[in-house]
Amino acid sequence: MLIRTMPKNNSLTDAIQKLIQAILKALGHNTTKTRTWHQHVVPYEDGWAVRREGNQRIASKHRKQSTAIRKAKTIAKRKNADVVIHRESGGIRDRISYRED
C-alpha cells in the first residue's frame, strides 16, 4: 500500500504569499499584526483594574477608578498608547490618546 503525503513546504504557495506581502507593503499596508500598549481601566472585583489591551492578566488593582486612570495614563504616555476608560457596566466611557502620529 502506497500512501502519498503532501510536502510540508509548498514552495509555490510560499512564493505567492511572499509576493502578496511585498505588494501590500509597497502600497503602505502593514501585513503583520502588532500588539498595542493601549491601557484599559476596567471594573474588577470590588474596585478597578488596569489591563493591557488583549491581555487577561491585570497590570494593577485599585480601590478607586481615579487612581486606576492615573496609573493607566502613566503607562500610556510612556508607550505612546491610548487609555480606554470603561463604565461599571463594562461599556466604554472615554478614550484618551497619547499617540504621536
Side-chain angles (χ1 to χ4, degrees), residues 29-89:
H29 295 285
N30 189 0
T31 58
T32 59
K33 258 191 167 178
T34 57
R35 283 191 67 194
T36 66
W37 279 92
H38 301 319
Q39 301 298 310
H40 288 253
V41 176
V42 296
Y44 184 76
E45 293 175 354
D46 57 348
W48 294 87
V50 177
R51 178 181 292 169
R52 181 178 174 188
E53 189 169 282
N55 273 6
Q56 293 294 320
R57 189 176 66 85
I58 299 297
S60 59
K61 301 176 200 174
H62 308 274
R63 284 184 300 185
K64 298 191 310 187
Q65 188 184 37
S66 59
T67 310
I69 292 170
R70 194 166 47 250
K71 176 67 175 177
K73 284 181 176 180
T74 302
I75 297 169
K77 285 177 187 176
R78 192 172 52 229
K79 299 291 187 177
N80 295 321
D82 293 351
V83 175
V84 181
I85 304 167
H86 292 261
R87 290 186 168 85
E88 232 175 302
S89 63

